[in-house]
């Protein structure tokens, strides 16, 4: 579940997501390997899923890999939530 924290004063803080009962700030999960660790899976498997879900030259993929193929990934909150939903066991 992806939620947004709004403290007193109205400033928006980092969004948080719950993975396996533990809360994580989405800004700490922007690299596929960091998200893979939280999901208890390999980064290679996660990147394979993301490549299939977000093909090159689509707006979401361009936001995650602005330098194109072979550049550093920076996952968007939507991609993080999508991957968590996909790889979290259904209750």
């Amino acid at each position: 579940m992806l939620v947004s924290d709004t403290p007193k004063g109205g400033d928006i803080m980092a969004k948080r997501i719950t993975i396996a009962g533990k809360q994580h700030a989405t800004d700490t999960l922007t690299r596929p390997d960091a998200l893979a660790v939280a999901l208890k899976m390999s980064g290679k498997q996660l990147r394979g899923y993301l490549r299939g879900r977000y093909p090159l030259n689509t707006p979401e993929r361009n936001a995650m890999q602005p330098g194109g193929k072979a550049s550093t990934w920076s996952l968007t909150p939507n991609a993080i939530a999508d991957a968590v939903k996909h790889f979290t066991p259904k209750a």
Side-chain angles (χ1 to χ4, degrees):
M1 172 185 225
L2 187 64
V3 296
S4 179
D5 297 331
T6 307
K8 290 181 181 178
D11 294 331
I12 299 291
M13 294 177 66
K15 290 184 179 182
R16 301 188 68 74
I17 194 161
T18 302
I19 303 171
K22 186 176 177 187
Q23 289 228 339
H24 300 268
T26 57
D27 61 351
T28 64
L29 301 173
T30 59
R31 299 298 308 268
D33 289 335
L35 180 56
V37 167
L39 290 169
K40 297 182 176 143
M41 62 185 300
S42 77
K44 184 176 180 179
Q45 183 182 10
L46 177 60
R47 287 188 301 277
Y49 168 75
L50 293 169
R51 284 185 192 103
R53 179 84 168 96
Y54 303 103
L56 284 173
N57 300 318
T58 59
E60 186 81 12
R61 179 71 176 269
N62 290 341
M64 290 187 286
Q65 263 188 310
K69 191 174 181 179
S71 66
T72 302
W73 287 75
S74 181
L75 301 179
T76 63
N78 288 340
I80 293 168
D82 176 42
V84 169
K85 182 178 178 181
H86 182 78
F87 289 107
T88 300
K90 310 300 183 264

